[in-house]
Amino acid sequence: MQKMSSYKKGLIYALSCSILWGVLPIYWQALRPIESSVIIFYRIFLVGVVCFIASIKLYGMKEMKKHLRPKGAKLKFFLAGLLITTNWSIYIWAVNADFVIQTCVGYYIEPLMVCVFGIIFFKEKLTGYKLTALIFAMMGVVVMLVHFMQVPLIALSLGLTFATYAALKKSYQLPSVLSLFYETMFLALPALGVVIYLEVNGQGALALGDPVKYILLMFCGPLTAIALAFFAEAANNVPLVTLGLIEYLSPSISLIIGIFMFKEPFDMIQFIAFVIVWIGLVFFTIGEKKETSQEVPIDGEEIFDIFGNNFDRFAFPATIKRVTAGHGGEALIIFGSEKTALLDCGMAYCGDLTIENIRKTLKREKRSILDYVILSHSHYDHIGALPYIREAFPNVVVCGSYHCSEILKKDSARQLMKELGTAAKILYRPAYKKDIPMEGLGVDRVLKDGDVLELGEEKVTAYETRGHTNCSMSYYLEPQNILFTSESTGILEADFVHTPILKSFDDAFESVEKCRNIDADHICLPHFGLLPESYNESYWDMFKDSCQEKMDFVRGMSRKGLTEEEMLEKYVDKYWVAGQEKEQPREAFVLNSGFILKALLRAI
C-alpha cells in the first residue's frame, strides 16, 4: 500500500509543476527579442548554479559526492541532463516561434508515453478509472493528429524526450535538488562558455541594451529549477500512470493561453479533442478520489497510526504513564504500589523536558521519588537523557544487562553516543545550546535473564533478547501482563515491520520465540507503543516475514556482485520511510543500516 503522506505530497507537487509549466509560455514570450538559443544556454547554466547552491546548503559536499559513486550513476545523470536540455530547447524555440498550440499537442502526447512507460518498465497498476481516462486521452490526441494531417515533429520530439526523462528519473529516485544538480553539472560549464562567447561577440542578451529583459532572463534558472524540483518530488512519490495523467493540466493551460492571449488559430476540431481529453481527466479524478479515500493516513506523528484513527497506541493502563518529551525516543514510568521505575530515558537533546514531565507525573500520582531506571539497551536514543535523570534523582538505581554495563564503560561507545546525540539536537532542537552530557552514563545493577525487580505488588521480569544488540533486554510487567519488547523483535513503522538487527538474526529469531512463549496479554513495541491485542500472535510472524524479505533482497544484490557500499545505498533507498526523521535522524538510520546489512550478509 502506498503511504498516504508521500502520495498526497506527490499529487500536490504534480499539480504545482503542471500549473507552473502551463503558464510559462507567458514568461518565455516576455523575453522577446532575446534569441531562443541565448535563452537556452542561459537557462542551462543558471539552473546548474541554483541547484549547486541549494545542494551545498541542504546536503553538503560529502552527500553530493556520495550518489555519484555507484556504477553507471554518472551516465544516467548525463543522459537525463541531455534529455531535459533537448526538451527545453525544442520547447523554447517553438513558443517563441508562435507554435504554442503545437507544443500543447506534444505535451498531450507525453503523458501517454509516461503512462505506458510506467506500465511497461515499472509494472505500475492501471485501474479501471485510469484505463478509461487513458483511452479518452488517447482519443483526444488521435483527433489532433488526424486534424493536422502531418507528422507533428515538434510534438513528438517534446513528448518522447520528456517521457524518457521521466522514466529515467524514476529509476534513480533522489532528493529533487540533488538530482537536478547531477543532471545539469555536466552541461553547466559548457553552457557558460557559450554564453560568454555570445556576449563577447555581441550576439547575447546584453547586446539588446534592455536591463529589464536581462533581469527577467536571470529568473529562468530559479523558475526552471522550481518546476523541475516539483516534478522530481512528484516522480518520487506517485506512480508514473498518475503523474502522466495529471500532466494534461499543463498543456491545457498553455492551450488556453495560446488561443486567448496569443491569438493562435484554434478551430472546432481542436476544441472537440480538448473536450475529449478533459472527459478522461474527470474519470481520472473520480478514480483518484475513490483510491485515496481508502488509504490510511500516515504522516509525521500519524506515520504509525496504521490501525485506524480509533486505535490509541498509548492507551496504557493507569499504572503506566508516558513521559516522552521529544522525537526519537520513548520514556515510560511504571508505578508500583511501593516503587517507581522509568523504562528508558529518551534522547539527551530533550533531557531537561523529560525531567519536567517526570516531575509533573510524579506529583500528580503523589510520588516524589524515582526508584529505578530500566534500560532496554545502550543506544543513545534510549539512554541519552540518563545524565539528567541522575542529576534530578541522585538515588535512582539504573538497571540493565551485563553487556550494557560494559558498553557504557567504553570511550569509543560514549563518543559515538555524543556524536549521534549532537546530530539529533541539531535536527530536532537546534536552538538548544547545552552540550550533550555524558556524565552518569552507566549501570548500577546488572540484570540477568529471569531476574525480577519488585515494585510492590507489581514485579518486572527481565529477559535477555539479543539480536538488535547483545545488550538488548525485554521486560514483562505483572500483574498487568504487559511485555515491553526490545528492538531485537522489530519495530512497527508505517505498514511494515522494521528489523533493526545489528548483531545476529539467529539471536533475533530466538528472542522472538522467547517473547512469543511469554504469552503476554499486551505487547508494547519500542518506538511505537501498544499493539492491538488481535495482533499479539501474528506480529511475530510478521517480523519473521520481514526478515526473510530483507534476506532475499540482500541475497539478490549479492548475486549481482554489488559491493557492500552499493548494497548499503540501495538498502537505505528501499527502507528509509518518508516522515521517519521525526523518530530517527537519517544519519543514525544510515549508520544502523550498515550494521544490519553486515548481519544480513552473515545470515544468508
Side-chain angles (χ1 to χ4, degrees):
M1 181 178 69
Q2 193 170 12
K3 300 170 187 62
M4 182 67 160
S5 65
S6 60
Y7 187 67
K8 270 189 172 180
K9 182 173 72 171
L11 287 177
I12 292 170
Y13 280 120
L15 288 169
S16 299
C17 75
S18 293
I19 293 169
L20 183 54
W21 277 331
V23 300
L24 272 179
I26 298 172
Y27 172 75
W28 299 124
Q29 289 213 2
L31 293 176
R32 287 176 172 177
I34 300 175
E35 290 289 333
S36 297
S37 58
V38 175
I39 297 172
I40 289 164
F41 287 113
Y42 265 97
R43 188 184 198 188
I44 295 168
F45 171 67
L46 290 172
V47 169
V49 170
V50 169
C51 292
F52 175 75
I53 294 171
S55 296
I56 284 286
K57 185 176 180 61
L58 293 172
Y59 302 102
M61 187 60 72
K62 185 177 179 180
E63 180 75 11
M64 290 166 65
K65 290 179 179 178
K66 182 182 74 173
H67 298 289
L68 294 171
R69 293 174 190 150
K71 186 178 179 180
K74 294 185 182 69
L75 178 60
K76 276 188 177 182
F77 297 139
F78 176 68
L79 290 176
L82 277 181
L83 285 166
I84 195 60
T85 301
T86 302
N87 186 271
W88 293 347
S89 303
I90 296 170
Y91 176 70
I92 292 174
W93 173 83
V95 168
N96 285 342
D98 294 322
F99 290 119
V100 172
I101 293 180
Q102 278 273 12
T103 66
C104 294
V105 176
Y107 287 120
Y108 276 127
I109 295 173
E110 176 264 318
L112 293 176
M113 295 180 178
V114 171
C115 290
V116 172
F117 284 4
I119 296 164
I120 295 174
F121 297 115
F122 297 96
K123 310 301 180 186
E124 292 176 355
K125 183 180 178 182
L126 187 61
T127 65
Y129 281 100
K130 287 178 181 176
L131 177 60
T132 304
L134 195 56
I135 290 171
F136 271 99
M138 292 176 67
M139 288 170 56
V141 171
V142 168
V143 169
M144 290 184 188
L145 295 179
V146 171
H147 178 65
F148 279 112
M149 294 297 291
Q150 62 181 355
V151 178
L153 292 178
I154 293 173
L156 289 176
S157 299
L158 286 172
L160 185 61
T161 53
F162 200 88
T164 308
Y165 169 74
L168 188 58
K169 200 172 190 69
K170 183 81 172 177
S171 70
Y172 60 76
Q173 295 186 347
L174 287 173
S176 56
V177 172
L178 271 180
S179 65
L180 288 175
F181 167 66
Y182 296 142
E183 291 159 11
T184 54
M185 62 183 283
F186 300 103
L187 303 172
L189 288 179
L192 176 61
V194 174
V195 166
I196 293 172
Y197 172 81
L198 291 173
E199 295 297 353
V200 168
N201 287 276
Q203 301 172 35
L206 291 173
L208 295 175
D210 188 340
V212 174
K213 295 284 184 180
Y214 194 78
I215 292 171
L216 199 59
L217 179 62
M218 292 299 103
F219 284 99
C220 72
L223 281 173
T224 302
I226 290 169
L228 285 174
F230 286 169
F231 179 79
E233 289 296 329
N236 284 349
N237 290 293
V238 299
L240 285 183
V241 172
T242 302
L243 182 60
L245 290 168
I246 289 178
E247 282 182 64
Y248 278 112
L249 184 62
S250 173
S252 297
I253 294 172
S254 295
L255 185 64
I256 293 170
I257 290 172
I259 297 167
F260 295 103
M261 182 174 289
F262 300 148
K263 307 299 182 183
E264 292 188 17
F266 185 72
D267 56 27
M268 181 58 66
I269 301 298
Q270 289 169 299
F271 175 74
I272 291 171
F274 176 79
V275 171
I276 292 172
V277 169
W278 273 92
I279 291 173
L281 291 180
V282 170
F283 277 97
F284 168 72
T285 303
I286 295 171
E288 286 298 286
K289 186 175 182 180
K290 284 183 175 293
E291 287 183 32
T292 56
S293 66
Q294 296 170 1
E295 299 278 2
V296 178
I298 301 175
D299 187 16
E301 188 59 27
E302 295 175 339
I303 189 172
F304 300 111
D305 296 342
I306 66 172
F307 302 112
N309 295 329
N310 295 327
F311 175 72
D312 184 359
R313 60 194 172 104
F314 300 126
F316 297 108
T319 54
I320 300 172
K321 303 295 182 183
R322 184 171 181 250
V323 291
T324 305
H327 294 297
E330 289 290 318
L332 302 171
I333 294 184
I334 302 171
F335 287 95
S337 57
E338 297 176 11
K339 295 184 177 182
T340 57
L342 179 69
L343 177 59
D344 282 337
C345 309
M347 289 200 186
Y349 76 89
C350 56
D352 57 326
L353 303 177
T354 302
I355 294 298
E356 288 182 20
N357 288 348
I358 291 172
R359 283 178 168 154
K360 289 177 183 177
T361 304
L362 289 173
K363 186 177 180 180
R364 283 197 297 268
E365 298 296 319
K366 297 181 171 54
R367 305 283 183 99
S368 59
I369 298 173
L370 189 63
D371 297 285
Y372 298 110
V373 171
I374 308 172
L375 301 177
S376 64
H377 63 296
S378 59
H379 282 178
Y380 80 109
D381 52 331
H382 292 258
I383 68 165
L386 184 55
Y388 293 90
I389 306 293
R390 285 196 186 275
E391 183 180 0
F393 305 97
N395 296 321
V396 72
V397 177
V398 179
C399 306
S401 69
Y402 169 77
H403 286 284
C404 182
S405 174
E406 292 301 301
I407 288 170
L408 294 180
K409 295 175 183 177
K410 296 180 179 180
D411 290 338
S412 58
R414 295 161 70 91
Q415 179 59 33
L416 178 59
M417 290 176 205
K418 188 176 183 70
E419 290 173 3
L420 292 174
T422 301
K425 181 183 74 170
I426 293 171
L427 176 63
Y428 298 126
R429 199 181 178 190
Y432 188 57
K433 302 303 181 184
K434 194 170 182 178
D435 197 16
I436 299 298
M438 292 286 108
E439 305 80 8
L441 289 180
V443 172
D444 304 316
R445 177 177 171 180
V446 172
L447 297 176
K448 302 186 296 297
D449 195 61
D451 282 355
V452 175
L453 278 180
E454 300 285 351
L455 303 181
E457 296 176 3
E458 296 76 17
K459 65 177 183 178
V460 177
T461 305
Y463 291 94
E464 291 182 358
T465 48
R466 299 183 182 186
H468 175 58
T469 63
N470 287 334
C471 63
S472 295
M473 301 281 283
S474 297
Y475 298 97
Y476 181 51
L477 174 65
E478 297 177 281
Q480 290 87 346
N481 296 325
I482 296 180
L483 176 63
F484 299 93
T485 63
S486 72
E487 293 185 30
S488 297
T489 55
I491 303 171
L492 198 57
E493 291 180 351
D495 53 354
F496 70 99
V497 178
H498 176 45
T499 58
I501 310 306
L502 309 183
K503 290 294 184 179
S504 168
F505 276 81
D506 287 339
D507 286 348
F509 292 147
E510 289 182 14
S511 297
V512 164
E513 292 308 312
K514 182 181 288 188
C515 289
R516 191 198 294 261
N517 290 334
I518 293 171
D519 196 24
D521 291 338
H522 311 282
I523 297 173
C524 181
L525 300 175
H527 298 287
F528 177 80
L530 292 171
L531 268 178
E533 292 178 33
S534 58
Y535 279 78
N536 282 2
E537 181 59 29
S538 62
Y539 173 78
W540 311 117
D541 294 326
M542 290 166 61
F543 171 80
K544 288 185 175 181
D545 290 344
S546 184
C547 289
Q548 187 60 55
E549 187 273 332
K550 287 188 178 180
M551 288 180 185
D552 292 342
F553 177 59
V554 172
R555 186 180 290 109
M557 291 192 292
S558 180
R559 286 173 178 169
K560 292 179 181 178
L562 271 63
T563 66
E564 198 166 309
E565 185 176 350
E566 290 170 337
M567 290 184 193
L568 177 59
E569 185 167 350
K570 289 184 178 295
Y571 180 95
V572 172
D573 287 343
K574 183 176 177 66
Y575 292 111
W576 174 257
V577 180
Q580 190 174 335
E581 65 276 356
K582 291 201 172 185
E583 294 298 322
Q584 181 184 32
R586 185 178 171 86
E587 295 91 337
F589 180 84
V590 173
L591 179 66
N592 283 345
S593 295
F595 289 109
I596 294 171
L597 180 61
K598 292 181 187 295
L600 284 165
L601 289 169
R602 289 193 296 269
I604 63 173

